[in-house]
Amino acid sequence: MLTGIDPNMPPDLLHILASMGHGDEILVVDANYPAASTARHCQITKPVYLSNMSSPEAIALICSVMPIDGFIDYGALRMEIDNAPDEMGSVHSEAWQVLEAVKPDTARLNSLERQDFYIHAKTCYAVVRTSEARPFGCFILRKGVIF
């Protein structure tokens, strides 16, 4: 048994998060995202499935043990809504609310156009697929440091 770890944290995700280093990125995606085919390009080649968890809930779970990077242009990225890059859906607003509460002051939250997001996603360390049903509920979190 471990103390201080959310009981919803699966052991494989905890291992992945502990194995990541500063600057490594984890992809948190909705139920429609091609998680398995994307994961084949990542360091961890099989996705972690968080069934019955939304993207913001998964982000909160991950951020309960992983710091967000505050040293570059972004600590987190969201997938933009097609033809509406500045519009944020409810899933984006909820995820940003979670991230605003845990990120360092220097961390920025940005977005990527959907096709650019797919390309960038293949460079991530690992993929976490949620049961998120809201469209464009996909995010990239960059691991920070602990001082």
Side-chain angles (χ1 to χ4, degrees), residues 16 27 29 33-49 118-129:
I16 288 167
L27 181 64
V29 298
Y33 195 89
S37 61
T38 299
R40 283 188 285 241
H41 299 274
C42 299
Q43 184 71 29
I44 305 300
T45 58
K46 293 184 180 178
V48 174
Y49 293 94
Y118 287 136
I119 292 166
H120 187 102
K122 291 179 179 179
T123 69
C124 288
Y125 190 85
V127 179
V128 175
R129 198 197 81 178

Side-chain angles (χ1 to χ4, degrees), residues 8-17 26-29 35-36 39 44-51 58 61-62 126-131:
N8 292 311
M9 178 72 73
D12 52 346
L13 180 55
L14 187 59
H15 180 263
I16 288 167
L17 296 171
I26 191 159
L27 181 64
V28 178
V29 298
I44 305 300
T45 58
K46 293 184 180 178
V48 174
Y49 293 94
L50 294 179
S51 300
L61 179 68
I62 290 166
V127 179
V128 175
R129 198 197 81 178
T130 68
S131 58

Side-chain angles (χ1 to χ4, degrees), residues 56-143:
E57 290 169 334
I59 290 169
L61 179 68
I62 290 166
C63 290
S64 72
V65 296
M66 187 190 90
I68 296 297
D69 197 349
F71 291 111
I72 67 160
D73 292 343
Y74 63 89
L77 297 167
R78 68 172 175 88
M79 179 187 281
E80 293 176 357
I81 297 172
D82 288 339
N83 303 313
D86 297 325
E87 183 180 328
M88 295 218 334
S90 62
V91 67
H92 300 129
S93 297
E94 288 175 28
W96 262 205
Q97 188 173 16
V98 169
L99 288 162
E100 286 288 349
V102 299
K103 74 175 186 63
D105 291 339
T106 55
R108 293 182 29 210
L109 308 176
N110 286 328
S111 64
L112 278 178
E113 185 275 329
R114 185 169 59 93
Q115 295 305 318
D116 291 336
F117 188 97
Y118 287 136
I119 292 166
H120 187 102
K122 291 179 179 179
T123 69
C124 288
Y125 190 85
V127 179
V128 175
R129 198 197 81 178
T130 68
S131 58
E132 180 62 65
R134 293 173 286 184
F136 305 99
C138 303
F139 303 86
I140 296 171
L141 309 177
R142 186 174 172 93
K143 188 174 186 179

Side-chain angles (χ1 to χ4, degrees), residues 18-29:
S19 298
M20 291 171 61
H22 174 235
D24 283 337
E25 297 177 335
I26 191 159
L27 181 64
V28 178
V29 298

